[in-house]
Structure formats: C-alpha cells, structure tokens
Amino acid sequence: MINREQQIEQLLRGAPRPTPPSDLEAKLLAQIQLPPPARHNSSSQNALAPRIHWLRRWWPALAPAALSAACTVVVSVQVTEIQSLKKSIEALSQTAGTSAIAPKADSDQHLSEAPAPQSRPTQEQEIERLKQLVNKLRSEIATLEQMRVENDKLRSQIAAAPGVLTAEETAALDQARDRAQSIQCVNNLKQLGLAARIWALDNGDKFPVDPLQMTNEMSTPKILHCPSDATRIEASNFSAYTAANCSYDYLAPCATELDPWRVLWRCPVHGHIGLSDGSVQSDVAKNQPNSLVQREGKLYFQQPATMEMDAKNREAFERRYGLKPANPADSNQKTNP
C-alpha cells in the first residue's frame, strides 16, 4: 500500500505543468479598478502655511518663556501653602503655650507628693555615664603623662650628673617610677574595660572577639601597651598596630557584663586584672594568685573574705545587673497581690 502511494506521488510530480496565456497579465491589470486620487484643498493649505512658518520661527523663544511661566505658577502655589502651614503652626504653638502656662494646682501637688519611680538606667543614661568616665580617665592619663615627662627630665639630669644621688635616693626614685608606671597600667586597663563595654552597647551586649574590633572606642593604641613592658614596642597609631604591640591578655571574648567576676584583661607584668564590669584589681596575679579560679575554661576572680561586700553594696550590685528588682516593694506586690 505504501509503495503504491509513492508511485502515485512520483507520477503526479512528473506531470507536465500548464503554461499561462501570454496576455493574462494585461487582462488582470485591466480588471483592477483603483480609487480616484483625493483632491486637496489648496486654499486651506495656503492659509495654514503662514502659521506654520510663524511657529517654526518663534518656537525657540516661546518655549523658555512658557516653561518659566509654568515654574512661576508652581512656585507661587508652594509659597501660598507654606504661608498657610506657618500660620497653622503658630496657632498650634500658641494654644499649646496657653495650656502649659495654666496647670492645675492639685495635679501639681499630687505629682510632687508621688514618689519618683525607681527603674534601671536607660541606654542613653548609661552611655552618658560612660562618657563622663572616659573624660575622667583621660584627665588622669594627662596627669600621668605629665608625671612621666617630669620623670624623664629627672632621669636625664641624673644621667648627666652621676654621683649626685645616693643609693637610697636612687632606689626611692626607681620605686616612684615603678609606682607611676603601675598606676598608668591600671588606668590603661580601666580604659580598655570601658571601651569593651561601650562596644557591647552597640553589638548585642557582648564584648568583641578581638581588641582590634573596638579600635573606634579607644582614644589611642598606647593604652594597649604596659609602660613597664620592655619586650614590646608601643604603637604610635592604629594603622601601625599589630598583636605584637599588645602587652595585655584578652581573656573573655564574646563575654557579657552580666558575668561581672570574669577576668577580661590581665597584665602579665604587674599582675593587674580588669573584670567584665569595668573594675580593676591591682597586683592580684602576683599577691593573691589563689583568688583566680578556673570554671569551665573561664578565669574568674574570687573575692577573699576580707574583701566581701557589705549588704548594702551587694544589694546595689545585684540591682545593677538585674539579679534583683529595682524596687523591692514592687516585687512584694507582684508576689502578694
């Protein structure tokens, strides 16, 4: 069946093609009827020609004028709206002023007699307190810097004139120098603890992983160098600072202020330690090594019996870190409705 169809298809393809008559094209063109051409009104074209010529001639000058006129209208509308808004604001301010001038006497008396609510300090108050502490520490640093300059002058004078001081005076001078350097080291730890707490306020109440993350909270990289550390060089700026310039051990990355007894900084030269609450304990690692204990891989400072807080200070400490409600009366009301 398929072969027969193919044979029929081949026969059809081989059939001769018919030839069209020679006059077929002429007959078809004669049968086509085209519509007559439209007649244009020559008078209307002649009337529009001068207008078009005038528009083409004056359009470059009329366009900026029309644009400036539109801008003038928009500006005048805006000025009118601004004046109406000013009038409404003045009316509202006068109304608010009159209502604030005449308060009720009994309400004032009631407010004056009502006790001030005791609440935890807000974040803005805490930042303001930390800023004041920064200014205080900077003034102390300036004083210590002045003392260091004076000590350097005295040291240079002694070196220029040997034999002027006795052995006791030289020992006393060295002791005073070591004491001044120890005080400066304590101030460095205070500033580092304060910088870590300021950084934590903007980063989920957690301390940074590395001291380099809180360089914006430090005034200078000099606070990362202990003045008695002769094995490291003090960096002049943060662009030249590396981990080799840091004299202190950073022991509590990602810790929080709610763990106040955890050791945050430690000076291996003097033995000072800086705690997570910003306080600094002097000579602990040297004079009181037993007060440092390890708990779950973390270093904590354990107060001796002679340094325990009294009841009042402990209560204030617990309220500060949220371990006790700010107002005991409120907690009694909640437990005893």
Side-chain angles (χ1 to χ4, degrees):
M1 185 66 180
I2 298 175
N3 295 332
R4 186 176 181 181
E5 291 178 355
Q6 292 179 353
Q7 291 177 0
I8 295 172
E9 184 178 357
Q10 291 178 359
L11 291 173
L12 292 174
R13 289 182 178 178
R17 295 182 179 181
T19 58
S22 59
D23 58 344
L24 179 62
E25 183 178 0
K27 291 181 179 180
L28 292 175
L29 290 176
Q31 293 177 2
I32 295 174
Q33 296 181 0
L34 296 175
R39 296 181 179 180
H40 298 285
N41 193 355
S42 59
S43 61
S44 60
Q45 291 181 355
N46 295 331
L48 291 175
R51 297 180 183 179
I52 296 172
H53 179 70
W54 181 83
L55 287 174
R56 289 178 181 177
R57 182 177 180 182
W58 293 100
W59 172 250
L62 291 176
L67 183 60
S68 61
C71 293
T72 304
V73 172
V74 172
V75 170
S76 61
V77 172
Q78 290 181 351
V79 168
T80 305
E81 292 180 355
I82 291 171
Q83 290 178 355
S84 62
L85 288 174
K86 285 183 177 180
K87 291 181 181 179
S88 61
I89 290 171
E90 290 177 356
L92 290 174
S93 61
Q94 291 177 359
T95 306
T98 54
S99 61
I101 291 173
K104 294 182 180 180
D106 54 350
S107 61
D108 287 345
Q109 184 177 1
H110 177 70
L111 291 174
S112 61
E113 292 177 355
Q118 297 180 358
S119 60
R120 295 181 63 182
T122 61
Q123 185 175 1
E124 290 77 7
Q125 294 176 353
E126 184 68 16
I127 292 174
E128 186 64 26
R129 186 180 67 82
L130 293 176
K131 287 182 179 179
Q132 294 176 0
L133 185 57
V134 168
N135 295 331
K136 182 180 178 181
L137 291 174
R138 285 179 179 174
S139 63
E140 292 179 358
I141 290 172
T143 304
L144 291 173
E145 187 69 20
Q146 186 177 2
M147 292 174 60
R148 186 182 66 81
V149 173
E150 293 177 357
N151 290 334
D152 292 340
K153 289 182 180 179
L154 292 175
R155 198 178 296 110
S156 61
Q157 292 176 2
I158 293 170
V164 176
L165 298 178
T166 62
E168 296 179 356
E169 292 175 345
T170 303
L173 183 61
D174 293 338
Q175 186 178 3
R177 179 193 59 196
D178 295 339
R179 178 62 179 170
Q181 291 178 351
S182 178
I183 293 173
Q184 185 176 354
C185 179
V186 170
N187 280 278
N188 289 348
L189 292 177
K190 287 183 179 180
Q191 288 194 82
L192 291 173
L194 182 61
R197 294 171 67 191
I198 293 175
W199 192 90
L201 287 175
D202 299 329
N203 295 274
D205 296 332
K206 290 185 179 180
F207 296 144
V209 179
D210 187 84
L212 288 175
Q213 290 184 344
M214 59 179 184
T215 54
N216 292 333
E217 285 72 23
M218 301 181 194
S219 58
T220 174
K222 295 181 180 180
I223 62 177
L224 290 165
H225 181 265
C226 177
S228 299
D229 188 3
T231 61
R232 292 177 175 82
I233 301 174
E234 182 181 280
S236 58
N237 51 55
F238 284 110
S239 60
Y241 173 81
T242 61
N245 302 116
C246 184
S247 303
Y248 304 110
D249 299 330
Y250 185 60
L251 303 177
C254 299
T256 62
E257 191 178 355
L258 298 178
D259 200 4
W261 301 117
R262 186 175 177 182
V263 179
L264 181 63
W265 297 95
R266 179 177 59 187
C267 176
V269 179
H270 296 101
H272 307 324
I273 60 172
L275 301 180
S276 297
D277 63 346
S279 62
V280 177
Q281 304 294 332
S282 302
D283 303 326
V284 172
K286 288 186 176 181
N287 299 335
Q288 301 173 4
N290 296 330
S291 61
L292 298 176
V293 294
Q294 289 280 348
R295 297 174 186 171
E296 299 178 357
K298 303 174 184 178
L299 188 63
Y300 288 89
F301 172 65
Q302 185 176 4
Q303 282 188 326
T306 57
M307 298 176 60
E308 289 184 356
M309 295 184 294
D310 54 10
K312 184 178 180 180
N313 292 334
R314 180 173 292 279
E315 185 178 359
F317 177 82
E318 292 178 352
R319 289 179 183 175
R320 178 181 178 185
Y321 292 101
L323 304 177
K324 181 178 288 188
N327 191 355
D330 296 341
S331 61
N332 293 332
Q333 291 178 2
K334 291 181 180 179
T335 55
N336 299 322

